[in-house]
Structure formats: structure tokens, C-alpha cells
Amino acid sequence: MLAESGVGVRRRPPGCPVDLTTTVGSVTLPSPVMTASGTAGHADELGRYVDLGSLGAVVTKSLSADPWPGNAAPRVHETAAGMINSVGLQGPGMAVWLADELPELLDLGVQRVVASIWGRTVADYARAADLLAAAPAEVVAVEVNLSCPNTEAGRHLFAHDPAASAEVIAATSGCNRPRWAKLSPNTDRLVEVAGAVHDAGAEAVTLVNTLLGLAIDPETRRPRLGAGGGGLSGPAIHPVAVRAVHDVHAARPELPIVGVGGVTDGATAVELLLAGARAIQVGTATFARPTAPLDVQHDLEHWCRRHGVTAVADLIGDVHERPRA
């Protein structure tokens, strides 16, 4: 039940054209809808189902400086309202991606790519970022996935520590592109971490990564995933994502936010925009419905028309402008 009228939203009769343009820091996007890292692959995997060039941007699966095989199988298990995965950030390494896989995306007419990077040490992140310095102009931003174990600090996630997260952001400036810090919801210091990475040079934050979870097979009495636990994603985590975006926007209204988590249609996208996100990503929904990112984009536009909203930019953070009931 999204509000139909209120402060800060321009309204016109249903059926009027909708301006989908948005900005995330210094990056202008023709639509707020992107793919989410981890679900769209590294190259043109979704290209046979979706006109990827018509989306706001394509966000790659996280890449490390070197090739990485990922975790043992099984890696994915369906849950009641989503999935739990422990793929383990398998990837070809940055050099192979730049030489072989990025060109496949560009050949599809994709003009806006957000390269996601990860590492287990600060130096790992710095190497991955430095390798992106010579990437083509279509790589418009770098999403720094901070939800990785910090092997230099007892394997605690970088994103749970404001100082460690800020150190990574400072070390990745060599990419020579805007950086978006992707943060974890598995900490009560989320707002503090968001502020720390912004102060360290991140233009935006992506909220949120998966929730830590575990699935056990009652028959075998063993974890269902080869690596034990994993990350929960899908509709089950959508309210968590909305709350995270809301709280960070309330504390840091100047900090651009990309919202992700359980987006399946126009209404769930609008929730994240109202909470304060300037753009959104569609991830887990693509496993069951590869056309989901474009479906959400169309549904968002239709939602705006039905509600007389002329520009999605007018929805951003609007819930914060309304008095509480």
C-alpha cells in the first residue's frame, strides 16, 4: 500500500510519459534499474533473454585480480522465499574479463557497466581496482564488494568494520572511476560503516548484500551446501533491504544509495526508492525469470503512470518527507 499523494512528488494524469533518469553520485543512468552482482554473470549470459543495453546499467558478478574456482558443490539451495547460495565468488580474474568477457557485453550494445570487485586483503582489492584503470569508458563505476572475509583480521567481514572498509575504499582509488561500496546487513554498525566508506571516497553505497544463513538437510543431518553456510537472498530479505536503505538515508541524506534485495516488480522497486535509494538492482529473481530486470523496469514505469508520477527522481526518499501517522 504505497501512498498516492503527498509532499515532494509531482503528479500528472495517468498515462503521461515517465522520466526514468536518475543519478548515482557522478554517474547518470537512463533508468534506475540494473542487474545485481552475482546473478547476471560476467559477460552476456542474460543477453539472450534481455536487451541489456536498455537497462540503467549491467553490474557484473564480483571479480578478483586473479582467477578463483569458488566453493565446493552444491552451491545453491532454494528456500521458501528465495535462495541460499555459497558460490564462493568464482571468476576468471580481471585480465581475462577485460580481454574476453567485457567485449561480449559491449558487443550487445551495453553502454554502462559497473564492475564489481572483491578481495581477501586490502592489497587484493587494490590490485583488482588498478587493473580497471585502463578499462573502456563503458565501465562507468566500480562496485567494491566489502562482504568478504578479511584474512588479515581473523576472517571477519570487511563490511562489519568501519575502519577496514574505509581502508579498502581508500586503496581502490586506482580504478580512476566512481566507487560504490557494497555493504552487509549482518551488522548493527551499518550506518557507521556507510559513513566511513563515504568519507574515504566512495561516491555511493549499495545496500544490501545477502544475509548469513544456513540450510540443513533433515535426512542427511548435514548442511545442504558444500561450504556449509551461505548467503540468503530473494523476497525474504526485501524488508531488511528497505530498512537498511531507510536508516542510512536518514543518517546520511547526502550519500547516494543503490538499493538491492528482493526486488521482483515495480512496487518493490518503488519501496526502495521511497526509502532513499537512487537506483535499484534486480538479482535473485533472474534465476527463475531471466527477463526480470527488464520486467521490473517496465512495471516501474507503469506504476508511475498509474499513480501520476512524472519522474522517478521525485520518489527518492519521499517517505522521509511525510509525517508519521
Side-chain angles (χ1 to χ4, degrees), residues 162-322:
S165 295
E167 186 178 5
V168 170
I169 294 301
T172 53
S173 62
C175 66
N176 295 329
R177 283 165 171 78
R179 284 157 290 155
W180 305 349
K182 188 169 186 179
L183 303 184
S184 166
N186 302 291
T187 174
D188 60 358
R189 305 179 75 185
L190 178 60
V191 170
E192 185 181 355
V193 174
V197 296
H198 188 39
D199 293 344
E203 276 199 7
V205 291
T206 301
L207 306 174
V208 291
N209 213 319
T210 56
L211 282 166
L212 294 174
L214 176 66
I216 296 174
D217 184 342
E219 300 300 322
T220 65
R221 305 185 186 187
R222 299 183 60 82
R224 292 187 182 274
L225 300 182
L232 178 66
S233 63
I237 75 164
H238 182 67
V240 175
V242 173
R243 177 63 184 263
V245 171
H246 176 278
D247 289 358
V248 171
H249 183 77
R252 286 266 186 160
E254 79 286 358
L255 173 57
I257 298 171
V258 177
V260 56
V263 176
T264 58
D265 56 18
T268 46
V270 168
E271 280 190 273
L272 287 168
L273 295 170
L274 291 174
R278 303 194 66 84
I280 62 97
Q281 296 175 357
V282 181
T284 299
T286 61
F287 286 109
R289 185 166 40 102
T291 60
L294 195 56
D295 294 343
V296 169
Q297 183 167 289
H298 290 159
D299 198 31
L300 172 61
E301 186 173 7
H302 294 158
W303 186 96
C304 289
R305 284 176 177 163
R306 291 196 306 272
H307 293 78
V309 177
T310 185
V312 294
D314 293 331
L315 295 171
I316 297 167
D318 191 55
V319 75
H320 299 271
E321 303 299 324
R322 298 167 182 269

Side-chain angles (χ1 to χ4, degrees), residues 4-288:
E4 305 250 347
S5 61
V7 177
V9 178
R10 297 196 305 269
R11 302 195 175 275
R12 295 180 184 173
C16 288
V18 179
D19 182 1
L20 296 178
T21 306
T22 190
T23 58
V24 180
S26 62
V27 178
T28 299
L29 303 174
S31 162
V33 180
M34 297 178 271
T35 60
S37 178
T39 59
H42 299 108
D44 63 351
E45 289 89 341
L46 285 179
R48 72 191 69 176
Y49 307 104
V50 177
D51 176 9
L52 294 173
S54 67
L55 299 173
V58 173
V59 185
T60 69
K61 186 173 173 12
S62 294
L63 293 149
S64 57
D66 302 310
W68 186 254
N71 289 334
R75 296 177 169 188
V76 175
H77 175 70
E78 186 176 359
T79 65
M83 59 176 278
I84 185 170
N85 91 87
S86 183
V87 174
L89 297 168
Q90 176 183 347
M94 189 62 73
V96 170
W97 180 73
L98 286 168
D100 300 334
E101 300 192 339
L102 175 59
E104 294 177 5
L105 268 177
L106 303 186
D107 286 346
L108 293 175
V110 175
Q111 300 179 40
R112 295 163 301 279
V113 177
V114 179
S116 176
I117 63 172
W118 72 279
R120 286 186 167 82
T121 66
V122 174
D124 287 345
Y125 280 101
R127 287 178 56 225
D130 289 348
L131 288 167
L132 283 168
E138 288 86 352
V139 179
V140 297
V142 175
E143 188 174 80
V144 184
N145 181 1
L146 291 168
S147 300
C148 301
N150 180 357
T151 57
E152 296 174 312
R155 300 189 65 82
H156 298 298
L157 298 190
F158 281 96
H160 293 180
D161 184 329
S165 295
E167 186 178 5
V168 170
I169 294 301
T172 53
S173 62
C175 66
N176 295 329
R177 283 165 171 78
R179 284 157 290 155
W180 305 349
K182 188 169 186 179
L183 303 184
S184 166
N186 302 291
T187 174
D188 60 358
R189 305 179 75 185
L190 178 60
V191 170
E192 185 181 355
V193 174
V197 296
H198 188 39
D199 293 344
E203 276 199 7
V205 291
T206 301
L207 306 174
V208 291
N209 213 319
T210 56
L211 282 166
L212 294 174
L214 176 66
I216 296 174
D217 184 342
E219 300 300 322
T220 65
R221 305 185 186 187
R222 299 183 60 82
R224 292 187 182 274
L225 300 182
L232 178 66
S233 63
I237 75 164
H238 182 67
V240 175
V242 173
R243 177 63 184 263
V245 171
H246 176 278
D247 289 358
V248 171
H249 183 77
R252 286 266 186 160
E254 79 286 358
L255 173 57
I257 298 171
V258 177
V260 56
V263 176
T264 58
D265 56 18
T268 46
V270 168
E271 280 190 273
L272 287 168
L273 295 170
L274 291 174
R278 303 194 66 84
I280 62 97
Q281 296 175 357
V282 181
T284 299
T286 61
F287 286 109

